[in-house]
Amino acid sequence: MGEVIPFSEPVLQSFRALQRKYCITSCLFHKFEKFIPELFKDETSVFQMIRENDTTDAPELNLDKVKQWIWSLFLLTKDEALYCGDELITAFHLLLCACTHVIGQLPSFLLQSPFAEYVIGGADEAQIIEHVASLASTTLEELQQVHTNYWQPYANSTLHCDVSNLLQLYHRRYLKHGDIDEMQFLNYDSLLLSAPTIANESNQQAANGGAPDTPVRASLNTLNQLKTLLAHSPARPSDQLVQYFKMCAADPQEDIQSRVRQLQDRFHSGFLEAVSTTAPTSQFEQTVRQRYAVALSLYYRVMESMLKSEEERLSTSDFTSLLSSDAFHTALLACSVEVVLAVYRSASGKLLARDLATEFSFPWVLQVFNLSPFNFVKVLESFIKAEPQLTVDIVKHLQLTEHRILEELAWHKGSPVFELLHQSVLLTPTRPHQANPTQLFLSPRSPELRTSSSYPLALFLGKVSRLAHSRMLQLCRYLDISADVQQKIWACLEHVINHRSELLMDRHLDQIIMCCIYAICKILLEKEVKFKSIVAVYRRMPHATQEVYKNVLLSDSKTDSIITFYNQVFMQLLKAHILQYYSASSSRTATSPTSSANVNNSASPHTPYTPSHKLLASPMYTVPGHMNFYVSPMTDSPFKIPESPTLTPTTRRLQTYTVRVGERLGSADKLKAINEAIRMSPASTTTRTSFPGGSTSHTPKSQKRLQFDQPSEESAAKKVSTICRIKYRNAQ
């Protein structure tokens, strides 16, 4: 199976946006198909009723025409009205608005009961909206807000168009913008979905006696559960919470409410700024206020639950230090806002990957509230414990945000993590796996500063270590690395996290994991684990992105591939530490009477071997798929790296080079010509390689790097690195 060609980041972002749009539209269409029979009579009854009363030559109005009418009206309004077309719940409510409008325009004989009675009795649109909301199992408040804020301002221009005009309008828009022709869902286009799929789902639903958990249903359930949870939690402090405020040495209520108003202003301006490029900001004023109000209710509810839990644990009701902490309140409110935003933009954790970002995806809320990721992550575990009724999807989302902070966001330059590492003596908390908000958010003026600073730091580094260990084990299992080598890799990785954390500044945890794996395997394994193999395995992990191994910070703002980072930064700083593992392994092997037997009879290719003269020379490699093509290091090369006190034969083993070889280099004559050119080339810092036909190629040594993309056949020969000698042997 061929390797997937990695695309540039702009192309990947376009693919992700297209993928998310397809997922959202597909989910809505499946829901639309199942919802239509509850509103309109089926095609058979429609044909019969129209035939009996038809006295004109007008086109027949049937269920297919009704579906075209609703779907085209919905698509046109969605593209025009929604600032964020991939917000599933708002889009679904917009689809319900289209259904409501068409119901009011159709004759009663095409409608199911009670909509037929509504039309005959001249009921207003509000009654129809109320019953549609009930059938869709959504809240009337949400549907009315979308109808007022999105449907009415943007649908007026298309409400009086007939079906054919709507289809023409959509077709012109599709030709202008491209991407997905969403009208093809109605035709069950095989590139989008197949008709039997929906039929099979309907049959399965009937057989099971219940509705399947579709993405739309899952999102609506999550939203409804959140609203049910907060039904009796106002967007203000409860009486019990006010009592906690009064028990403090100084009542913090005024400061808390002032902070809430300031953060509301930031949220309001940040939200409107994010949507200002797609629509007038006045259309979203009510949406901003409504979502912040929901977040505020959750904020006060969780705060009260936290204080009750701390009161039971500490047997005190005075929480002056905690309730006077600006970081605590900002982090708690930010977490509440993130939950609300995630609920509204969610479709399904199984359908949509975490990297399909929207305008308000994490860490947007941190930027708006000017909150450090380190302070945000301190409240996450306490937040989940304080509100056990959170849905599984919300908890999973919060776990993903924690992982993003642990792996990258908390390691940005200027993070409080580095200040704590320099100022605090790391003390292991008495309960290292417990996240207690009182200890995590002690006031900086507290006399317990030394302990309070070490507690969150130790807890944070413990979480980082657990995440790093889990990912390291995944990679090692894929690479078939033995358990004893895994232990040494983990020892090296743990050393970096706890004692050389500067290597993580503005970098990704996965970069350090891959470098540790390569370095330890390089000195302990007889068969080399190549960096390209590590990267190939890493790309299979669900959280992997190509930016992790293609753009690694070297110094200042300069970035390069992970192999350059390993050679120029990682290996230079950790060389002495890494060689300790080789020395320890060498000492143990030398005293073992069965060491040679273990080497010769090793069953796994990735097991430790007895250090010998092989340490001084790399083995000869065969190119995969080419039995007669061999690559080995040059022994007498004019381009040989000069000996220096800092690069001994032992430490040279830690250095890594890349052989740039294509899949087919050509005939034996071409390979001989390459070898001849290498032998005749003068010594210089720039490699000059001749090829048949008189062409030359210049490859400065500074540009030698790991090749993640497969070179083309035409340019393969020009990319042969002269750090190696190429040998060709004809099989007889």
Side-chain angles (χ1 to χ4, degrees):
M1 181 177 178
E3 190 175 349
V4 178
I5 300 175
F7 295 97
S8 64
E9 192 60 30
V11 174
L12 286 176
Q13 290 178 358
S14 299
F15 279 151
R16 291 165 186 160
L18 195 63
Q19 180 187 9
R20 188 174 181 94
K21 182 176 182 180
Y22 166 77
C23 290
I24 294 294
T25 307
S26 177
C27 293
L28 292 173
F29 181 74
H30 279 75
K31 183 67 176 177
F32 175 65
E33 284 283 282
K34 295 170 184 176
F35 195 53
I36 283 292
E38 299 184 49
L39 306 178
F40 310 101
K41 294 184 177 179
D42 61 31
E43 190 173 10
T44 303
S45 60
V46 169
F47 275 128
Q48 291 173 347
M49 290 186 175
I50 292 180
R51 291 294 185 189
E52 292 174 359
N53 300 281
D54 190 18
T55 57
T56 68
D57 294 328
E60 296 177 346
L61 183 63
N62 54 43
L63 189 60
D64 287 340
K65 290 289 185 182
V66 172
K67 289 167 63 176
Q68 284 184 336
W69 189 357
I70 296 173
W71 190 247
S72 58
L73 192 60
F74 160 68
L75 293 179
L76 288 169
T77 308
K78 173 176 70 73
D79 292 344
E80 187 70 24
L82 292 190
Y83 61 90
C84 184
D86 52 8
E87 192 175 82
L88 178 65
I89 294 176
T90 305
F92 175 64
H93 287 138
L94 203 60
L95 178 59
L96 295 182
C97 291
C99 292
T100 301
H101 170 76
V102 172
I103 287 173
Q105 305 298 314
L106 289 177
S108 61
F109 59 78
L110 293 175
L111 303 174
Q112 297 283 14
S113 180
F115 297 108
E117 289 76 9
Y118 289 159
V119 172
I120 293 174
D124 58 14
E125 193 175 41
Q127 288 181 278
I128 300 176
I129 290 176
E130 183 177 358
H131 196 73
V132 167
S134 176
L135 284 177
S137 300
T138 187
T139 60
L140 179 60
E141 178 190 5
E142 288 286 335
L143 184 55
Q144 287 175 334
Q145 286 180 358
V146 172
H147 188 272
T148 302
N149 297 330
Y150 299 96
W151 177 261
Q152 290 180 343
Y154 291 97
N156 286 333
S157 60
T158 55
L159 291 182
H160 303 291
C161 297
D162 58 23
V163 177
S164 60
N165 287 336
L166 289 173
L167 294 176
Q168 291 176 9
L169 285 173
Y170 179 82
H171 185 65
R172 286 199 293 268
R173 178 167 293 183
Y174 167 69
L175 293 178
K176 180 179 179 181
H177 298 288
D179 61 57
I180 302 174
D181 185 356
E182 296 167 294
M183 286 301 301
Q184 293 304 313
F185 279 97
L186 288 175
N187 300 327
Y188 304 106
D189 191 313
S190 59
L191 296 176
L192 300 175
L193 77 169
S194 58
T197 301
I198 296 177
N200 291 339
E201 289 180 358
S202 300
N203 294 336
Q204 184 179 3
Q205 174 182 349
N208 296 338
D213 191 17
T214 63
V216 176
R217 170 59 50 209
S219 293
L220 289 175
N221 287 343
T222 302
L223 177 61
N224 291 338
Q225 288 174 24
L226 180 62
K227 292 210 164 187
T228 301
L229 182 69
L230 301 175
H232 303 291
S233 300
R236 63 179 185 275
S238 66
D239 294 339
Q240 179 65 49
L241 199 54
V242 171
Q243 289 299 318
Y244 280 120
F245 294 158
K246 292 180 178 179
M247 292 178 187
C248 295
D251 192 336
Q253 186 170 358
E254 185 176 345
D255 291 340
I256 290 174
Q257 292 179 344
S258 175
R259 185 184 298 105
V260 164
R261 289 191 294 269
Q262 292 175 4
L263 294 178
Q264 182 177 13
D265 293 340
R266 293 184 190 178
F267 178 77
H268 184 273
S269 58
F271 195 102
L272 295 184
E273 182 181 354
V275 302
S276 61
T277 57
T278 57
T281 57
S282 59
Q283 300 296 330
F284 306 105
E285 294 284 350
Q286 186 175 352
T287 300
V288 176
R289 289 193 294 270
Q290 182 263 341
R291 297 196 180 174
Y292 191 81
V294 175
L296 205 56
S297 299
L298 184 60
Y299 161 72
Y300 285 124
R301 177 186 172 89
V302 173
M303 187 195 305
E304 181 179 341
S305 178
M306 282 185 178
L307 295 181
K308 288 180 180 178
S309 177
E310 288 296 280
E311 184 179 21
E312 294 176 1
R313 189 179 69 88
L314 300 174
S315 299
T316 181
S317 300
D318 184 359
F319 300 107
T320 302
S321 295
L322 178 64
L323 294 177
S324 62
S325 171
D326 180 75
F328 167 72
H329 289 288
T330 305
L332 186 60
L333 184 53
C335 192
S336 302
V337 169
E338 178 60 28
V339 167
V340 174
L341 293 178
V343 167
Y344 276 92
R345 69 171 176 262
S346 67
S348 173
K350 297 178 181 178
L351 261 180
L352 301 179
R354 71 173 188 169
D355 60 347
L356 301 180
T358 66
E359 288 90 337
F360 307 108
S361 291
F362 189 80
W364 178 83
V365 68
L366 302 186
Q367 299 164 0
V368 170
F369 285 178
N370 193 25
L371 177 67
S372 72
F374 177 70
N375 283 330
F376 181 84
V377 79
K378 287 196 293 186
V379 82
L380 278 180
E381 189 174 339
S382 300
F383 187 96
I384 295 171
K385 289 180 179 179
E387 189 47 79
Q389 297 184 53
L390 292 174
T391 65
V392 174
D393 289 337
I394 293 177
V395 174
K396 286 182 178 178
H397 172 75
L398 293 178
Q399 183 184 40
L400 288 177
T401 62
E402 182 181 68
H403 286 179
R404 285 203 61 194
I405 292 172
L406 298 177
E407 71 189 14
E408 182 179 20
L409 298 180
W411 300 106
H412 288 175
K413 189 175 182 179
S415 170
V417 173
F418 297 105
E419 182 179 355
L420 289 175
L421 285 168
H422 284 90
Q423 294 181 356
S424 175
V425 176
L426 186 60
L427 301 175
T428 303
T430 56
R431 298 166 67 184
H433 300 297
Q434 296 291 327
N436 300 315
T438 304
Q439 288 178 274
L440 288 173
F441 289 98
L442 279 174
S443 170
R445 296 179 297 275
S446 170
E448 302 173 277
L449 175 60
R450 180 169 300 181
T451 303
S452 68
S453 62
S454 63
Y455 182 90
L457 180 59
L459 195 64
F460 171 78
L461 293 180
K463 288 178 179 289
V464 173
S465 296
R466 285 193 291 274
L467 180 62
H469 187 263
S470 173
R471 292 185 176 179
M472 182 213 72
L473 288 181
Q474 280 185 284
L475 288 173
C476 288
R477 289 191 187 108
Y478 286 141
L479 293 165
D480 193 25
I481 297 174
S482 62
D484 51 347
V485 177
Q486 289 181 28
Q487 292 176 359
K488 294 178 177 62
I489 294 171
W490 169 241
C492 181
L493 180 56
E494 192 174 32
H495 173 78
V496 174
I497 294 172
N498 290 293
H499 303 290
R500 300 307 298 264
S501 54
E502 68 272 15
L503 281 170
L504 281 160
M505 184 180 290
D506 288 333
R507 298 188 180 100
H508 198 286
L509 179 64
D510 292 346
Q511 295 164 353
I512 305 302
I513 294 173
M514 287 188 280
C515 287
C516 288
I517 291 175
Y518 182 83
I520 299 301
C521 291
K522 184 80 172 175
I523 63 170
L524 294 182
L525 299 183
E526 183 173 11
K527 184 174 181 180
E528 181 182 14
V529 177
K530 298 182 180 179
F531 230 126
K532 192 169 186 178
S533 300
I534 298 174
V535 169
V537 166
Y538 173 74
R539 289 169 60 178
R540 294 163 53 186
M541 301 180 74
H543 63 276
T545 62
Q546 65 174 355
E547 289 298 308
V548 170
Y549 53 85
K550 282 196 170 183
N551 294 304
V552 189
L553 179 70
L554 299 182
S555 60
D556 298 327
S557 59
K558 182 181 179 183
T559 62
D560 210 312
S561 72
I562 191 170
I563 197 114
T564 307
F565 164 72
Y566 172 86
N567 282 334
Q568 296 185 9
V569 181
F570 184 87
M571 196 265 286
Q572 302 301 325
L573 288 177
L574 292 178
K575 177 172 56 180
H577 179 78
I578 293 171
L579 288 177
Q580 292 177 4
Y581 299 101
Y582 163 66
S583 301
S585 176
S586 177
S587 301
R588 286 194 299 271
T589 307
T591 59
S592 173
T594 59
S595 59
S596 58
N598 291 337
V599 174
N600 296 331
N601 300 326
S602 175
S604 173
H606 293 163
T607 56
Y609 73 104
T610 306
S612 63
H613 65 280
K614 294 182 180 180
L615 183 65
L616 304 178
S618 299
M620 181 183 294
Y621 298 108
T622 59
V623 177
H626 300 273
M627 295 177 59
N628 301 318
F629 191 70
Y630 297 86
V631 180
S632 66
M634 293 188 69
T635 54
D636 296 312
S637 170
F639 309 107
K640 193 172 183 180
I641 300 176
E643 298 289 346
S644 69
T646 60
L647 194 62
T648 66
T650 302
T651 58
R652 183 177 292 112
R653 181 172 175 81
L654 290 173
Q655 195 81 18
T656 181
Y657 303 99
T658 300
V659 182
R660 304 183 179 186
V661 181
E663 293 186 355
R664 289 187 302 222
L665 286 177
S667 64
D669 292 338
K670 290 183 179 180
L671 295 173
K672 291 177 181 178
I674 293 173
N675 281 332
E676 185 65 25
I678 292 174
R679 285 193 293 270
M680 299 299 293
S681 178
S684 66
T685 58
T686 300
T687 301
R688 185 179 182 88
T689 307
S690 300
F691 296 90
S695 63
T696 60
S697 174
H698 296 271
T699 307
K701 290 186 179 182
S702 61
Q703 295 180 3
K704 293 173 185 174
R705 54 181 292 174
L706 183 63
Q707 295 294 293
F708 300 109
D709 303 329
Q710 290 291 340
S712 64
E713 293 184 9
E714 296 178 339
S715 63
K718 297 182 181 180
K719 293 185 177 180
V720 177
S721 175
T722 56
I723 200 68
C724 300
R725 181 186 300 278
I726 300 174
K727 298 182 179 180
Y728 181 85
R729 298 196 302 196
N730 282 318
Q732 299 299 329

